[in-house]
Amino acid sequence: MTDQTYQPTLSQLRAFVAVAEYRHFGTAATRLGVSQPTLSQALASLENGLGLLLIERSTRRVLVTADGKRLLPQAIATLEAADRFVASAAGEGLRGTLRLGIIPTIAPYVLPTLLPELRRRVPALAPHVIEDQTARLLDGLRSGVLDVAMLALPADAPGLIEIPLYTEEFVLVVPRGHDLAGRADLTPADLDALPLLLLDEGHCLRDQTMDLCRAHDAHPGAVGDTRAASLATVVQCVAGDLGVTLIPAMAVPAETGRGTLDIATFAAPAPGRTLGLAFRSSTARGDDYQLLAEIIREGRTH
């Protein structure tokens, strides 16, 4: 039974959250900058004080118990509040470690501008970038592995707050000399019967493209077994005359410069997607993420 007078320390909570996050004592200790015995002792003290087993240990694996899963969100919220308190005392909001998740169809085109801008505007911030597909980023937010994620909205995930950033249009990439090359009056119906190349399962851009086709009763042609994990690969397949593809407008300068390609754009209102930030509603850093959103928007206009 939990001793109602027991007060866990922040070090104990950090040990618990780190082990739950990495499922490995050595990795957790390294990330916290402590020895493994120190980490183990902090976790054991927390469990003894609570009278609960939070982490199940074995020689082969580390598991979070049912009690651990129940208490983990509260531990994360407590640590976030403490971090925010220290940041407020220092007179700056956006500072310290920021674990930023970002989807692959955004990362290569936003980070070259965003990271230098963050260094200039908020030099006390130490961003850690984690590129992954949407579903895993949302899991990371819920479990506390990530602080904030940049992805396509709406995420429709309970317990998360979303900040819309901006909307970007889709552009059709075609082989050089294609019948649609240079068109600026496409409609989604023009995708019907086209050999449309898509990203692999799990990428939200794939889902958005398929949703667009379904909404306009367009039925792209089959493209065989061609599969790709990145926009760069998809675009190179287009250059090789394997089909056509839709990419975000932000990717056009970087991706269409590699190969013999043309583009076509849609008549207004052009199809596209809204990008934004998502973070836990329990966090005490909501104001920080509003500032991050402002920096991203401003960087896009420069």
Side-chain angles (χ1 to χ4, degrees):
M1 178 178 290
T2 301
D3 180 356
Q4 296 297 316
T5 65
Y6 170 68
Q7 294 292 319
T9 67
L10 293 179
S11 295
Q12 291 169 353
L13 293 178
R14 291 191 195 282
F16 166 45
V17 171
V19 174
E21 174 181 342
Y22 298 108
R23 308 296 174 93
H24 189 277
F25 278 77
T27 302
T30 299
R31 295 304 293 266
L32 290 180
V34 300
S35 67
Q36 191 167 327
T38 298
L39 177 87
S40 298
Q41 179 58 46
L43 178 59
S45 297
L46 177 63
E47 291 177 320
N48 290 336
L50 296 176
L52 297 171
L53 183 66
L54 303 175
I55 300 293
E56 183 180 329
R57 310 146 174 89
S58 74
T59 56
R60 294 186 176 180
R61 58 183 181 174
V62 174
L63 299 175
V64 183
T65 67
D67 284 325
K69 292 177 181 178
R70 176 173 60 86
L71 294 175
L72 182 59
Q74 296 176 59
I76 292 170
T78 300
L79 293 174
E80 289 177 337
D83 290 342
R84 178 63 179 168
F85 175 78
V86 173
S88 296
E92 296 183 52
L94 199 53
R95 59 180 292 126
T97 300
L98 180 74
R99 297 167 299 177
L100 171 65
I102 187 166
I103 57 176
T105 54
I106 297 177
Y109 319 111
V110 168
L111 293 178
T113 301
L114 176 59
L115 292 180
E117 187 68 6
L118 289 177
R119 284 195 296 270
R120 184 182 72 83
R121 294 274 299 273
V122 281
L125 184 70
H128 296 178
V129 175
I130 299 91
E131 182 186 57
D132 213 331
Q133 295 178 3
T134 299
R136 288 195 285 268
L137 293 184
L138 294 176
D139 286 343
L141 287 173
R142 285 187 288 259
S143 67
V145 174
L146 298 175
D147 298 313
V148 62
M150 187 175 180
L151 36 70
L153 301 181
D156 291 330
L160 299 182
I161 293 175
E162 299 176 356
I163 304 175
L165 294 171
Y166 51 84
T167 298
E168 61 168 357
E169 298 178 353
F170 292 148
V171 174
L172 184 67
V173 181
V174 298
R176 181 69 51 81
H178 191 277
D179 289 345
L180 297 178
R183 288 268 300 273
D185 59 350
L186 294 183
T187 68
D190 289 320
L191 299 176
D192 189 52
L194 289 179
L196 190 62
L197 296 167
L198 300 172
L199 286 171
D200 207 353
E201 296 282 353
H203 288 276
C204 63
L205 183 59
R206 175 191 179 95
D207 298 333
Q208 292 152 6
T209 301
M210 295 177 68
D211 288 344
L212 174 66
C213 292
R214 282 192 289 264
H216 293 83
D217 200 26
H219 304 280
V223 291
D225 294 326
T226 298
R227 299 170 61 185
S230 71
L231 281 183
T233 300
V234 172
V235 170
Q236 287 307 302
C237 289
V238 175
D241 207 19
L242 297 185
V244 302
T245 194
L246 286 178
I247 68 173
M250 69 166 65
V252 170
E255 301 301 346
T256 60
R258 299 193 298 248
T260 53
L261 297 162
D262 280 321
I263 64 171
T265 56
F266 291 84
R273 63 180 182 177
T274 299
L275 303 181
L277 297 179
F279 55 91
R280 288 181 299 279
S281 57
S282 62
T283 185
R285 301 183 70 183
D287 290 345
D288 294 350
Y289 303 145
Q290 290 287 351
L291 175 57
L292 176 63
E294 291 176 16
I295 292 174
I296 293 173
R297 292 191 195 102
E298 292 172 5
R300 183 171 180 261
T301 60
H302 291 166

